[in-house]
Amino acid sequence: MTNFVRLSKDNDVAIITIDNPPVNALSPGIPDAISAAIDEINSDAAIKAAVIIGAGRTFVAGADIKEFIKMTSSGKRLATLLPLLLRIENSAKPVVMAIHGQAFGGGLELAMAGHYRVASPTAQVGQPEVKLGIIPGAGGTQRLPRLVGVAKAVEMCAEGKPIPAREAFDLGLIDRLIEGDLLAGALSFAREVAAKPAPKTRERKEKLGAAAENEAIFAAARATAAKKQRGLKAPLAAIDGVEAATRLPFDEGCQVEAKLFTECLFSDQSKALIHVFFGEREVAKIPDVPKDTPILPVNRVAVVGSGTMGGGIAMVFANAGIPVLLKDVEEATLDQGMGKIRKNYASSVQRGRFTQAFVDERLQLIEPVLSYDKFSSVDMVVEAVFEGMALKKAVFAELDRTCRKGAILASNTSTLNIDEIAAATSRAEAVIGTHFFSPANVMRLLEIVREQKTSKEVIATCMQLSKKLGKVGVLVGNCRGFVGNRMFGPYRREAQFLVEEGADIEAVDRALVDFGNAMGPLATGDLAGLDVGWRIRKEYRHLEKAGVRQPFAEDRFCEMGRYGQKTGRGWYHYDENRRASADPEVTALVRKWSAEAGIGQRQISAEEIVDRCVYALVNEGARILEEGYALRAVDIDIIYINGYGFPAHRGGPMWYADAVGLQKVYQRVCEFQRQHGELWAPAPLLKRLAETGKTFAEFDKEQVVAA
Ligand code: 3HC
Ligand code: NAI
């Protein structure tokens, strides 16, 4: 055998152990080694059955995704797992798959080729391939419906959500749950079944359903995919794959699956989603904060300010089981904050996301307070009071007085200078920005802002904490707007310019929604509140260069008291349920203001709308990257996908620009500069990469080498 696959014996049962840390991915060499082990078992008369088990923390997390990257960049086909799976299924001696941790993707496909599956109750199984823009490629769409039925197989393959072992057991995918020692349980199960004829999943038909009911299942699944996974090709391909299982013999179904798999794998969507998969893991790596940096305990926290963000942040901690003190200045405001938290939880129960018991426990973890008295007991504070430097400094000075030495003092500020906030304390090394996104309990992004003196321990702790909180933490530098909002400025500026130049409001939003964004830029402004940006712009107006064009519409709406959804009017008109409709008066106003400003009106294509908005992101992103406020281009991509609704299947703005080609992007930016002036001056990095034929991805690799 190899180091990665070991064959051992427990009397009359063979044990094949897959040991390819960290997640036992089926990297090259492993399928061959398993295959050789199966042959050896079948030629050994003393062996009656076999168990396949994973070493370490998991069974098998799937095919090796890195191999897919090699394959698509070289154009070469990877050896398929199908022959190995047939060999296992054809084994004369029953093969029992012993699952702990995860059996995902190729891991579940491997497990289904076994004659039986036993699992630890904490295990999970799933076909998450769609999240990588592909579909199961080793018989998953063919074997899964035979074990769990068509409806569940369609759901698992098209949505990619794993299921717990207990549910898999109820469905018939797992034959026995094993409490305690998995290997011992699997061995004893193997002895029980050793003499019985080994059932082959591929020969089973009883759960494949009838044509009429299957048709309804597929139609409903396609409708759901079109709505919930808008623009994605893989979920539809996964449904086609399962449909083939219901219509064709197993071998032919596998051929259909293989064709669909290859089409998906070589698609731009899959390349982008695989980039996102590795990107989400890459952002956790901070070049100057080594892996073994000590982590500080965060067992008890406090949140200052129980408003929109403070309340949501308190919920995030409570949901992770961490007790929180929630402080505000007045009883009435605090009651209001707690009331909103209760309402949010109640609606989660109503929607089936949480049980009442879970919510009751979480609420117990949030203690509303009006003073700093108990702050000496907490390990970390997140400040979320009104946005204003003087107030933030006063709060941090108070935290410095009341919190124990070593406690982390974090600010949720979205625009203020963290260095300046830190200066209000005697322990700048403990100060950091933790920029949650609204609604904090829903959005996955956490921008972690390091100031000049933030210690490595504090950074490492916040990065690790983000994972515990179910967030993707991305470390950024301390510049105005940090990374996400700094880029969002030019993006939304262009959306407004486009309307001022003659584009329809709905056309601007639609073009970006069609591109894949969760929402259009103008509707997003209405949702967040147009007054937020207005207040910030007023504060920084002195920094604006005279003679440089600025959008005017939103400032004027705000002067009219139209702040968006909260006042019922903004770019759109909103009814009492916040349902949007076009507001002809707004269009008329913008047209009038444009005429007064002498801005020529013209027809604007959807293509130009997307280019103007998305390249504004890219150009600013390139500046941020060069200035070092983002560690890597991929960090920007992860920020935009998780905090700003940028479509994951486009890989993030920087990956998208690479995919379009940086020369092309650069030329378009230069064209916009000629048309619209210095706001479109190309970022030096974009110019350099375009001129040297490089990509942002290559820039990232060079940074790693340099570090
Ligand atoms: N291939 C290659 N590397 C993988 C991998 C895979 N399938 N799964 C995880 N890894 C790597 C990660 O990149 C990470 O590497 P790093 O330490 O260098 O950053 C390391 O393993 C640990 O992964 P996580 O940080 O994600 O560890 P967690 O414990 O948080 O999560 C997991 C473990 C739930 C298994 C998660 O890694 C996961 O979901 N993996 C992907 C599962 C998947 O998508 N499988 C399907 C693959 S495609 C397939 O099988 C096609 C088939 O149908 C032919
Ligand atoms: P908010 O106005 O909803 O809430 C602020 C809360 O702080 C109020 O309840 C107020 O009573 C309380 N407060 C004021 N002074 C206090 C003090 N000295 N001690 C305790 N509580 C005090 O504001 P919101 O929107 O929650 O914003 C809070 C912070 O989060 C700001 O810095 C903001 O920039 C930032 N932020 C806001 C986002 C948003 O979408 N609303 C997104 C990301 C960051």
Side-chain angles (χ1 to χ4, degrees), residues 88-91 93-96 111 113-117 175 198-200:
I88 294 173
E89 208 169 33
N90 288 338
S91 162
K93 314 212 171 143
V95 180
V96 177
H115 304 104
Y116 302 97
R117 285 149 297 279
D175 300 293
K200 293 189 176 76

Side-chain angles (χ1 to χ4, degrees), residues 304 307-309 327-328 333 384-387 392 412 414 436 438:
V304 188
T308 312
M309 295 306 290
K327 185 197 175 294
D328 213 298
T333 345
V385 302
F386 301 130
E387 187 82 338
K392 301 265 184 199
N412 188 50
S414 38
F436 288 83
S438 184

Side-chain angles (χ1 to χ4, degrees), residues 22-23 57 61 63-65 106 109 129 136-137 277-278 281 285 467:
V23 294
R57 68 200 218 208
D64 187 337
I65 304 167
E109 291 171 307
E129 288 89 341
F277 175 84
F278 286 113
R281 283 142 187 94
K285 294 165 192 155
K467 200 167 177 189

